[in-house]
Amino acid sequence: MMRRLLPIAVLALAACGHSSATRFWTIEAAPAPTRHPALASPIRIDAVRVPLAIDRLELVRHDAANRVAVLDFDRWSAPPGDLIRRALTRDLLARLPADSVIFPDTPRRPGTRGVAIAVLDLDETDAESVMTVSWSVGDGAPHQLTLHAPLATPDAAGQTTALGVLIGQLADDIVATLR
């Protein structure tokens, strides 16, 4: 009887091993270079679309051509599109008077212009993070950008910080274009 229980006890002890702690990440707003006057009509970020390859709770890192690494212990605190939408709204609020930016999911005031964001790609090298993105207001012509931000460290902390910088650059472009 004891011989039969010994393998079970060994397996039970092995299952009690220690795994890495899961870290949860968000996107911080980037500092605003300047504060601009109010827009002619307020804006609201209506939608942010991200590629399915990165629209997951685990952070994804491009680690070689045609290959991605899923960082199992580094997770977004919410879906990436939602985090980008909130960070972009905070960035716009830092650059414009409060009455120029309507919070996501709040009732639209008359005359509010909806902004749609489509992230085509988000890549990293050892030195930088690159985001290819398109944005448009209503049925207007899309504005396409490729944005670059330095990657301070090649890990999740560096990746999330660089993404915050990229979103700040996107906010700068939106404000400059709509003024």
Side-chain angles (χ1 to χ4, degrees):
M1 176 75 159
M2 189 64 116
R3 284 189 172 162
R4 283 189 221 161
L5 292 178
L6 185 59
I8 293 172
V10 169
L11 288 174
L13 286 173
C16 294
H18 187 297
S19 64
S20 296
T22 302
R23 294 170 297 274
F24 291 91
W25 299 91
T26 190
I27 304 168
E28 297 297 325
T34 58
R35 191 132 174 112
H36 299 278
L39 298 175
S41 57
I43 60 172
R44 180 178 74 179
I45 305 300
D46 284 341
V48 174
R49 292 174 183 81
V50 295
L52 291 176
I54 60 173
D55 191 17
R56 55 188 308 136
L57 289 178
E58 301 89 0
L59 270 70
V60 176
R61 181 161 174 74
H62 292 254
D63 64 353
N66 300 321
R67 194 172 80 189
V68 296
V70 176
L71 307 178
D72 292 323
F73 297 107
D74 289 300
R75 295 178 178 255
W76 292 114
S77 60
D82 184 53
L83 292 174
I84 292 170
R85 186 178 184 202
R86 290 192 326 228
L88 182 55
T89 299
R90 286 192 310 268
D91 280 335
L92 291 168
L93 284 166
R95 289 156 174 76
L96 295 166
D99 60 349
S100 289
V101 181
I102 306 298
F103 286 9
D105 302 321
T106 59
R108 182 186 286 245
R109 295 191 327 228
T112 300
R113 296 178 289 172
V115 179
I117 310 293
V119 176
L120 176 66
D121 212 355
L122 186 60
D123 287 315
E124 300 88 29
T125 66
D126 288 338
E128 70 176 352
S129 186
V130 180
M131 180 168 64
T132 306
V133 62
S134 174
W135 67 271
S136 61
V137 177
D139 293 334
H143 301 266
Q144 297 175 350
L145 305 166
T146 299
L147 305 168
H148 301 261
L151 194 60
T153 57
D155 58 8
Q159 184 178 354
T160 57
T161 300
L163 183 54
V165 171
L166 294 169
I167 294 168
Q169 293 173 8
L170 176 58
D172 291 336
D173 187 72
I174 292 170
V175 170
T177 304
L178 295 180
R179 287 186 35 208

